[in-house]
Amino acid sequence: MKRKSTHIGINQNPMTIDDYQTLTKKVVDLLALYLRQSTSGDGVTLHQEPYLSLASQLSLTELIRSGGLNGDRAIEWVSSYLEHSQHMHHPHYMGHQVAIPHLSAGIADLIHGTINNPMAIYEMGPSAATIEHVVVNWMLSKIGWHDAPDLAMPPASAGGILTHGGSMANLTALLAARAAISPEAWQSGNPADLCVMGSDVAHYSIMRAISIMGLGAKALQTVKTDDREVLVVDDLYRAYRLAIDRGKTVMAVVANACATSTGLYDPVAEIGYFCREYDLWYHIDGAHGASALASSSTRHYMQGCELADSIIWDTHKMLQTSTLCAAVLFRDRRHMASAFDQKGSYLFHDKEQVGIDTMAYTIECTKSGLGTKLFWALAADGEEAMSDFVGGRYQLAHDFQELLAQQDDFEIFYKPEANILCFRYLPASTSNAAQLALRNKIVQRGKYYITSTEVAGRRYLRTVLINPHTTLDHLRGLIDEIRTSFSEM
Ligand SMILES: *Cc1c(COP(=O)(O)O)cnc(C)c1O
């Protein structure tokens, strides 16, 4: 069959730049309305429709087939899309560890989405690449490591790289740890005796990294935790002896800073002293909790972190950047260079260059201009404002704990360190199933969004106070909402 050439691959009504400008302005108006409604605390945080009904309401297949997502239709469509979103800016959103983005940080996403500068090689985005270097150095300086402002590579200086998320960052750090102890592994595969020490409540991305690297999940030599799931320092010595007696070589020791479930920090400094004593690679998983370094009122939780060999730090959790932006940071940047012992001649050729190519240091090949979001979040109001934000959210969890302690019908089992708090509602029976059912009821009612988690085998309701709009009054409201939800079960 002969096809008319005019119909092949040619869009009859391509969007013009004028259309883009008009539509984008209207979308921004809609977003502003969405933000006003969400932050006012009216309406629901989340209304979940079954996905088939949502797919049809949003005309997804039809639009893909026939197009037409432009003009007024696009505006209607965006309204509907927003209505069916998780309303993160609503002060009753207190669920997962993901940032409510700083409004300025969203501008970085808009710019990136328009110009697309995948800057892993400098010439594909000099501004974004330079920004990455500067924000990474800002993070290194918060740790207390020496950065390298002039892009030179003085041997003892620290270094780091942004990655698409903390899971990727953890894997990168452990690859560097392996290269340090077993440089031949990249070529020849893992020696059979490698193990990693850490608690078995480390984030699952650590376990995944161990398995992805081919060490096998059994290569985790577990260190005991207490009843709050915090690593017991004294047990490091027992675990180490056990590993050695079993003929193992310890590749890395992993600290949780802080734990995803409770927000409690493993003893960062003590683990560091242990690692120094035995000359072991010390990795700190600070995906959530490294942001404590941004505030003078909270940075003591990370005290001693400068003893680490590698630290990961998500900015899309506590530093008000949209997903994704994480950093993997090394005390000695030479380890960063050895994590991937691979050459891609078209990328890594010797060239006269004015900037830095980061591709050699990441799992990703193409990479988004991640640092631009963090930069906007910091630069809009300055780093002092970020410090107030982090300090303020940590403080709110303390205040909430004190408030709950005054209620007879709630049980809390620890003093919070970060901005995460777990507790149980006692009238709901303390069985795991009952607490989970209560959480589901609360979410289904839509007024509040909270999560739940198991700690030492017991299920708790869980709040992450990450929203700048949430106040203690909203938390008083949550207490009422929990009681009402229970009474309606
Ligand atoms: C969130 C988290 C991770 C994973 O980070 P992603 O950015 O979600 O991939 C790893 N470790 C800890 C402790 C975390 O809280």
Side-chain angles (χ1 to χ4, degrees):
M1 203 171 72
K2 219 175 170 188
R3 279 186 278 180
K4 281 190 195 152
S5 62
T6 49
H7 288 271
I8 298 175
I10 295 177
N11 187 341
Q12 299 292 299
N13 293 302
M15 193 182 207
T16 64
I17 296 173
D18 282 348
D19 295 339
Y20 166 83
Q21 205 173 354
T22 310
L23 184 58
T24 306
K25 280 181 186 162
K26 286 189 180 163
V27 169
V28 170
D29 287 345
L30 273 184
L31 288 172
L33 183 68
Y34 168 91
L35 289 171
R36 286 201 185 89
Q37 279 168 350
S38 300
T39 55
S40 76
D42 295 338
V44 297
T45 59
L46 173 67
H47 166 68
Q48 292 183 81
E49 298 234 2
Y51 79 97
L52 284 178
S53 134
L54 202 46
S56 117
Q57 277 184 55
L58 292 173
S59 313
L60 301 182
T61 11
E62 183 217 316
L63 280 166
I64 290 172
R65 198 181 324 111
S66 315
L69 188 63
N70 45 46
D72 290 345
R73 175 113 196 244
I75 299 302
E76 259 170 54
W77 188 92
V78 173
S79 295
S80 180
Y81 178 89
L82 292 176
E83 188 190 329
H84 295 287
S85 67
Q86 170 69 270
H87 291 59
M88 306 275 305
H89 295 77
H90 194 297
H92 295 173
Y93 172 88
M94 37 189 83
H96 290 285
Q97 299 155 282
V98 272
I100 316 312
H102 191 290
L103 296 183
S104 297
I107 296 172
D109 280 331
L110 175 66
I111 295 174
H112 177 76
T114 304
I115 71 165
N116 190 29
N117 269 205
M119 36 53 74
I121 41 180
Y122 187 76
E123 61 196 32
M124 283 303 290
S127 304
T130 302
I131 287 176
E132 167 156 341
H133 192 74
V134 170
V135 295
V136 163
N137 279 346
W138 177 82
M139 296 169 108
L140 295 174
S141 72
K142 293 290 160 197
I143 294 170
W145 285 342
H146 301 292
D147 56 9
D150 60 356
L151 306 182
M153 276 218 193
S157 73
I161 198 85
L162 298 181
T163 64
H164 288 85
S167 304
M168 202 79 93
N170 271 331
L171 176 55
T172 308
L174 290 178
L175 284 168
R178 184 181 65 179
I181 199 157
S182 173
E184 70 290 347
W186 188 269
Q187 284 294 331
S188 317
N190 297 318
D193 62 343
L194 294 185
C195 77
V196 172
M197 281 171 60
S199 73
D200 58 4
V201 294
H203 189 265
Y204 72 84
S205 60
I206 295 282
M207 291 311 303
R208 281 195 178 173
I210 293 173
S211 287
I212 290 168
M213 289 170 67
L215 298 180
K218 285 184 185 158
L220 182 76
Q221 170 63 59
T222 44
V223 183
K224 284 184 186 142
T225 52
D226 64 17
D227 52 5
R228 299 167 310 143
E229 291 193 340
V230 174
L231 185 140
V232 177
V233 170
D234 286 346
D235 196 56
L236 283 169
Y237 296 88
R238 180 203 62 87
Y240 182 67
R241 274 262 66 85
L242 190 64
I244 298 304
D245 290 349
R246 288 164 57 214
K248 298 287 179 190
T249 302
V250 177
M251 182 184 100
V253 180
V254 178
N256 228 352
C258 54
T260 305
S261 52
T262 57
L264 295 173
Y265 287 76
D266 282 346
V268 168
E270 282 82 351
I271 301 172
Y273 302 142
F274 168 83
C275 289
R276 281 292 167 84
E277 190 180 336
Y278 291 92
D279 196 20
L280 302 172
W281 184 284
Y282 182 21
H283 174 63
I284 299 181
D285 180 353
H288 183 96
S291 291
L293 291 165
S295 172
S296 53
S297 66
T298 53
R299 58 174 294 122
H300 61 277
Y301 291 120
M302 290 293 288
Q303 200 197 329
C305 71
E306 65 283 358
L307 296 169
D309 296 281
S310 54
I311 299 180
I312 73 147
W313 183 349
D314 278 10
T315 84
H316 63 246
K317 287 181 173 170
M318 278 305 283
L319 295 187
Q320 299 187 284
T321 50
S322 71
T323 46
L324 296 165
C325 178
V328 52
L329 306 162
F330 298 96
R331 178 158 47 84
D332 181 340
R333 64 185 302 149
R334 286 171 300 182
H335 289 300
M336 174 170 98
S338 61
F340 306 99
D341 183 34
Q342 210 184 18
K343 300 278 175 280
S345 59
Y346 63 104
L347 301 166
F348 306 141
H349 57 89
D350 288 328
K351 60 183 175 189
E352 287 277 318
Q353 59 179 26
V354 290
I356 190 167
D357 294 346
T358 52
M359 207 168 226
Y361 311 127
T362 52
I363 294 168
E364 300 98 317
C365 173
T366 310
K367 199 174 97 170
S368 183
L370 301 168
T372 59
K373 300 193 265 204
L374 174 61
F375 174 73
W376 275 84
L378 286 169
D381 306 317
E383 60 179 326
E384 203 50 41
M386 188 62 83
S387 159
D388 291 348
F389 168 74
V390 173
R393 295 304 84 184
Y394 273 47
Q395 181 60 42
L396 186 61
H398 283 83
D399 297 346
F400 185 34
Q401 191 257 338
E402 284 176 9
L403 180 66
L404 281 176
Q406 293 159 16
Q407 321 295 319
D408 295 336
D409 47 350
F410 285 86
E411 178 199 74
I412 337 147
F413 69 106
Y414 67 99
K415 269 202 180 310
E417 291 176 348
N419 56 325
I420 300 174
L421 190 64
C422 301
F423 52 88
R424 290 197 289 188
Y425 183 59
L426 296 173
S429 139
T430 50
S431 80
N432 289 354
Q435 298 294 317
L436 186 58
L438 177 57
R439 181 268 168 180
N440 292 343
K441 179 75 184 173
I442 295 163
V443 170
Q444 184 209 328
R445 281 167 55 84
K447 280 181 73 180
Y448 276 80
Y449 185 79
I450 65 169
T451 45
S452 88
T453 190
E454 272 188 28
V455 183
R458 294 202 191 98
R459 189 157 282 278
Y460 293 86
L461 305 177
R462 171 173 176 270
T463 51
V464 179
L465 307 178
I466 201 160
N467 188 324
H469 309 290
T470 305
T471 63
L472 201 54
D473 264 342
H474 295 119
L475 292 165
R476 288 195 185 92
L478 172 63
I479 293 175
D480 291 342
E481 176 67 7
I482 292 171
R483 288 172 180 149
T484 310
S485 300
F486 178 65
S487 72
E488 288 192 357
M489 282 175 78

